[in-house]
């Protein structure tokens, strides 16, 4: 039976219209899919950077505990000296007090570290290592009169004590065996990290309709919402990277000073065995002692910095204080010259 030419044209027209409709729907869905792919890329980047920075931060928390314990060596050396100076002046730098009260403070800190260890707070998973790495001053300063300091995850601290002092009096909270999840949660809380979800969950949260049923306007509106989530994740990754770089930079300064300070304190210790009276030191020996005191003071300042500050809902690097301490560190032990020939 012959087919009427008009029917052929009509069927062809319907086919073209159907193809255009399919293409439009596919393009609309692709708009959303592309946006979800970008979010997924940012999510993967976030997890990768978060893992790296968390390892850096937790390791720095452990490093701080080691450093603060070492500070007790100078306090012991001071107690063996006769007529030790209470005020230190070194090469035009600002004079600092380094007498019995200051040495007693160091001994108190070392005793607090022993108590922390007994209560098992220095294990990964208590949240202390991450908090300590980022909030050195907040964790170590004494609470003021008629005040109580509350930090989530730690016991309330009353006036006259520091958070570390209080933690040494109570057992650490229960945590998982490796403790990474707990430390990661603390890091995310401090930095104000956004909630990260799977793409399917994000799509279900933002749209009640399947993407194939969205109009073009609905697809673009949904795309904007997903892209905003991607932007927040990208910003979070940037903040986390800056924190990781800052921790590495500050630690590098401390390690540079630590190497020199260890050598000086070792030689001074041998000197005190022979000549315990500071007044009988040669001028060069007195300068070495003053230098060692300034080195340790600067290391204390660096390790007790609050690396980030809260500004309302924002978390920012404490750049001014960090740079001031780094400048002082560079005055005492200059940074290696990158242009110097290799030995």
């Amino acid at each position: 039976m012959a087919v009427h030419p008009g029917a052929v044209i009509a069927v062809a027209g319907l086919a073209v219209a159907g193809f255009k409709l399919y293409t439009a729907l596919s393009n609309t869905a692709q708009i959303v899919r592309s946006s979800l792919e970008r979010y997924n890329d940012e999510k993967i980047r976030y997890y990768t950077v978060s893992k790296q920075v968390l390892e850096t931060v937790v390791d720095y928390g452990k490093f701080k505990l080691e450093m603060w314990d070492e500070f007790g060596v100078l306090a012991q050396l001071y107690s063996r000296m006769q007529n030790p100076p209470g005020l230190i002046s070194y090469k035009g730098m600002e004079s600092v007090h380094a007498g019995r009260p200051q040495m007693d403070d160091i001994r108190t800190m070392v005793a607090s570290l022993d108590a922390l260890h007994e209560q098992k707070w220095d294990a990964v998973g208590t949240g202390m290592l991450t908090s300590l790495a980022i909030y050195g001053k907040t964790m170590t300063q004494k609470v003021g009169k008629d005040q109580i300091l509350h930090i989530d995850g730690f016991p309330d601290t009353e006036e006259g004590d520091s958070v570390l002092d209080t933690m040494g009096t109570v057992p650490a909270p229960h945590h998982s065996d490796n403790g990474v999840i707990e430390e990661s949660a603390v890091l995310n809380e401090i930095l104000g990290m956004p909630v990260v979800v799977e793409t399917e969950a994000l799509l279900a949260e933002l749209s009640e309709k399947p993407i194939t049923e969205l109009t073009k306007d609905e697809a673009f509106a949904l795309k904007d919402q997903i892209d905003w989530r991607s932007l927040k994740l990208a910003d979070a990754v940037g903040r986390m990277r800056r924190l990781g770089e800052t921790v590495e930079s500050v630690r590098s300064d401390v390690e540079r000073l630590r190497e020199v300070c260890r050598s000086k304190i070792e030689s001074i210790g041998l000197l005190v065995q022979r000549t315990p009276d500071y007044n009988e030191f040669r001028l060069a020996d007195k300068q070495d002692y003053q230098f060692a005191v300034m080195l340790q003071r600067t290391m204390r300042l660096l390790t007790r910095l609050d690396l980030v500050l809260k500004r309302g809902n924002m978390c920012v690097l404490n750049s001014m204080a960090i740079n001031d301490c780094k400048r002082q560190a560079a005055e005492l032990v200059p940074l290696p010259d990158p242009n110097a020939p290799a030995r």
Side-chain angles (χ1 to χ4, degrees), residues 140-282:
T140 57
Q141 69 180 355
K142 304 294 184 181
V143 175
K145 185 178 180 182
D146 299 326
Q147 293 181 349
I148 295 178
L149 178 61
H150 174 76
I151 302 177
D152 288 341
F154 302 105
D156 287 351
T157 303
E158 300 181 355
E159 66 174 87
D161 290 331
S162 69
V163 178
L164 290 189
D165 295 335
T166 304
M167 289 163 62
T169 64
V170 296
H174 176 74
H175 52 84
S176 58
D177 290 339
N178 57 23
V180 173
I181 295 175
E182 291 89 340
E183 298 291 346
S184 179
V186 172
L187 180 62
N188 291 342
E189 175 65 24
I190 290 175
L191 297 183
M193 295 291 102
V195 176
V196 182
V197 298
E198 297 300 322
T199 51
E200 295 81 3
L202 178 63
L203 186 59
E205 176 189 342
L206 298 178
S207 176
E208 297 179 354
K209 297 169 62 175
I211 58 176
T212 54
E213 297 179 9
L214 296 174
T215 66
K216 200 163 190 178
D217 288 342
E218 289 172 337
F220 275 112
L222 179 56
K223 171 187 176 298
D224 288 343
Q225 293 184 73
I226 297 171
D227 287 348
W228 172 243
R229 295 291 187 92
S230 297
L231 185 63
K232 289 177 68 177
L233 264 185
D235 176 68
V237 168
R239 282 186 284 131
M240 197 170 286
R241 274 183 173 148
R242 287 191 292 275
L243 173 65
E245 292 166 357
T246 300
V247 167
E248 290 177 343
S249 177
V250 170
R251 176 169 179 168
S252 176
D253 283 323
V254 176
E255 289 180 331
R256 191 175 76 254
L257 269 61
R258 180 193 198 184
E259 183 178 352
V260 178
C261 191
R262 277 178 165 176
S263 175
K264 291 295 181 185
I265 288 181
E266 183 178 355
S267 63
I268 294 167
L270 295 174
L271 173 64
V272 170
Q273 289 180 5
R274 300 191 308 269
T275 312
D277 192 340
Y278 179 82
N279 291 334
E280 296 180 8
F281 282 15
R282 296 176 304 168

Side-chain angles (χ1 to χ4, degrees), residues 4-15:
H4 192 279
V8 174
I9 295 173
V11 170
L14 288 173

